[in-house]
Amino acid sequence: MRLVILGTGGMARQHAMHFAAVPGVTLVAGVDVDKSRADAFAAKHDIARGFTSLDEAIAWGEFDAAANVTPDSVHHATTMKLLAAGKHVFCEKPLAVNYPDAKQMADTAEKAGLINMVNLTYRNVAQLQKARAMVLAGDIGTVRHIEAAYKQSWLVSKLWGDWKTEQQWLWRLSKKHGSNGCLGDTGIHILDFAVYGAATDVDHVFCKLRAFDKAPGNQIGEYVLDANDGFTMAATFKNGAIGVIHGTRWATGHINELQLRIYGDKGGLEVIHRTDGSTLRACIGANIEKGEWQDVAAEEVETNYQKFAAAVKSGKMQEPSFRHAANLQKVLDLAQVSDQKHAELEL
Ligand SMILES: NC(=O)c1ccc[n+]([C@@H]2O[C@H](COP(=O)([O-])OP(=O)(O)OC[C@H]3O[C@@H](n4cnc5c(N)ncnc54)[C@H](O)[C@@H]3O)[C@@H](O)[C@H]2O)c1
């Protein structure tokens, strides 16, 4: 697979590193509207070509697939161009900033018969895959309650840089710059973590969003800081369970942590993913009586990067697909309406 990386900012480093390690994948070009960034990226990752526009790269045309690592609001227009040019696309999450756009991307890719996947990174967590397998095997019985949280600290910690001065954080805080805030950014991850882990889908949602004042006039330069910093969502699920899904950028001390707890009528599971590793614990069988939890081992799983390369090679789609991500986007869109209307809404 001859792969182009579109958007050579922070996350593109992960794409370059992971894809370069997949046998049969060659990174043939990097594209970024910022020339200095594209040049530095190409030099660092030993990539022969750099372009400053997608149109130029498409006119050149010597690639099979693209990893779209542009900001959220850029995904739709650029992916549509790539699909029109007959290229397979591995797109960053969220697939688009709203459901109609995401649906159009899924419809177009499917109609064209092109491989389309979305980088819902936490599918790479072996413990999540194992938890899902245990749920599907009936190890915890009928699922009754789901608790999922995504905790980030970057509004209170400078570990990842200073959001007050760095563009890569400022665009994430501004609606005008195409961000749906914490809900759109990490909400999609934790929503996928919850429904994939518990092997179900959301059917009702009641959501609260909040953007706290963070600067004089709540603005820094061109960035109006109006995108939500956090969300709380009460949900019901297609398997009959109820639950809560929430996320915040104010979670002091957590840096980047996903938590999922799934309780059934025969047991419970807990998946924790932190920057220093992941764990899966279960309380099942005789342990239920004493409330004792045991670690569960999970075998290594294929990453999304490996799956995408395999899908392009074989011509057979793999998950997570555009369609799946579009369906998650529908939940996120409804969550925003729920917040505006102060109402529980059905999908
Ligand atoms: N899967 C994950 O865990 C994960 C983690 C971080 C970021 N992301 C996603 O990756 C994407 C990029 O995030 P980032 O942190 O790298 O942002 P970033 O701002 O660091 O990088 C984005 C890059 O895209 C470039 N760009 C903007 N418009 C472009 C266009 N039209 N054509 C070409 N290049 C363009 C920018 O100049 C910039 O270099 C976002 O959608 C984000 O949500 C995903």
Side-chain angles (χ1 to χ4, degrees):
M1 176 171 75
R2 295 167 301 167
L3 184 76
V4 161
I5 297 194
L6 174 67
T8 60
M11 187 59 189
R13 285 195 290 270
Q14 294 290 323
H15 286 247
M17 214 173 67
H18 285 281
F19 275 121
V22 180
V25 176
T26 310
L27 304 180
V28 291
V31 186
D32 202 294
V33 287
D34 182 326
K35 186 167 179 345
S36 60
R37 212 171 287 165
D39 289 346
F41 185 80
K44 177 149 197 258
H45 298 284
D46 203 15
I47 300 173
R49 282 172 195 273
F51 297 99
T52 50
S53 86
L54 176 59
D55 291 340
E56 276 173 45
I58 288 176
W60 167 67
E62 289 174 29
F63 61 103
D64 308 300
N68 192 342
V69 204
T70 57
D72 304 358
S73 64
V74 182
H75 294 175
H76 174 258
T78 48
T79 295
M80 293 303 285
K81 277 188 184 177
L82 286 161
L83 295 174
K87 308 298 180 189
H88 306 291
V89 182
F90 181 69
C91 189
E92 259 310 335
K93 46 54 57 178
L95 182 56
V97 291
N98 58 56
Y99 175 64
D101 282 359
K103 181 176 180 303
Q104 190 189 26
M105 293 158 82
D107 290 345
T108 307
E110 286 170 9
K111 200 168 162 210
L114 292 163
I115 301 298
N116 56 92
M117 285 181 65
V118 176
N119 195 20
L120 293 165
T121 324
Y122 299 102
R123 292 285 183 102
N124 304 343
V125 174
Q127 289 75 6
L128 177 71
Q129 303 272 354
K130 177 72 179 176
R132 176 184 169 89
M134 290 176 76
V135 171
L136 290 172
D139 292 358
I140 61 165
T142 303
V143 176
R144 302 290 196 213
H145 198 97
I146 298 166
E147 188 190 339
Y150 195 140
K151 299 179 179 175
Q152 289 192 328
S153 313
W154 58 268
L155 285 175
V156 275
S157 154
K158 291 196 185 69
L159 185 70
W160 291 351
D162 187 354
W163 64 265
K164 291 182 181 153
T165 56
E166 293 177 21
Q167 176 233 350
Q168 62 163 329
W169 303 113
L170 286 164
W171 72 253
R172 286 174 160 84
L173 297 168
S174 166
K175 286 187 189 170
K176 200 178 81 186
H177 290 79
S179 174
N180 282 329
C182 180
L183 180 75
D185 185 16
T186 55
I188 188 125
H189 277 310
I190 195 63
L191 184 58
D192 185 61
F193 210 71
V195 298
Y196 184 76
T200 187
D201 285 306
V202 169
D203 64 12
H204 287 81
V205 64
F206 181 69
C207 182
K208 291 305 277 178
L209 301 173
R210 191 61 51 88
F212 296 92
D213 282 351
K214 294 180 280 297
N218 211 24
Q219 181 159 0
I220 295 179
E222 62 176 289
Y223 298 91
V224 178
L225 309 181
D226 54 357
N228 60 80
D229 301 341
F231 65 92
T232 59
M233 206 191 278
T236 62
F237 298 86
K238 285 196 178 144
N239 63 0
I242 59 170
V244 288
I245 303 174
H246 67 107
T248 180
R249 293 162 167 173
W250 292 106
T252 304
H254 289 270
I255 310 299
N256 190 68
E257 181 169 333
L258 289 86
Q259 306 170 344
L260 174 63
R261 297 184 177 90
I262 312 167
Y263 303 103
D265 61 359
K266 288 188 191 154
L269 294 172
E270 179 197 75
V271 185
I272 305 288
H273 174 75
R274 282 194 261 265
T275 46
D276 59 358
S278 315
T279 55
L280 169 62
R281 298 195 311 153
C283 180
I284 44 180
N287 284 341
I288 293 175
E289 299 309 330
K290 291 186 186 163
E292 282 177 3
W293 292 78
Q294 282 185 333
D295 288 333
V296 179
E299 280 166 25
E300 208 179 310
V301 294
E302 274 198 316
T303 64
N304 291 335
Y305 306 98
Q306 290 168 318
K307 285 185 190 164
F308 180 71
V312 169
K313 191 172 178 190
S314 68
K316 278 198 202 128
M317 270 296 295
Q318 294 219 37
E319 291 291 333
S321 63
F322 279 15
R323 182 66 58 195
H324 173 74
N327 289 338
L328 294 183
Q329 195 61 47
K330 198 174 188 177
V331 179
L332 299 185
D333 283 14
L334 206 65
Q336 295 201 48
V337 180
S338 161
D339 174 62
Q340 286 151 12
K341 292 192 170 170
H342 305 288
E344 183 188 55
L345 299 174
E346 185 176 1
L347 253 97

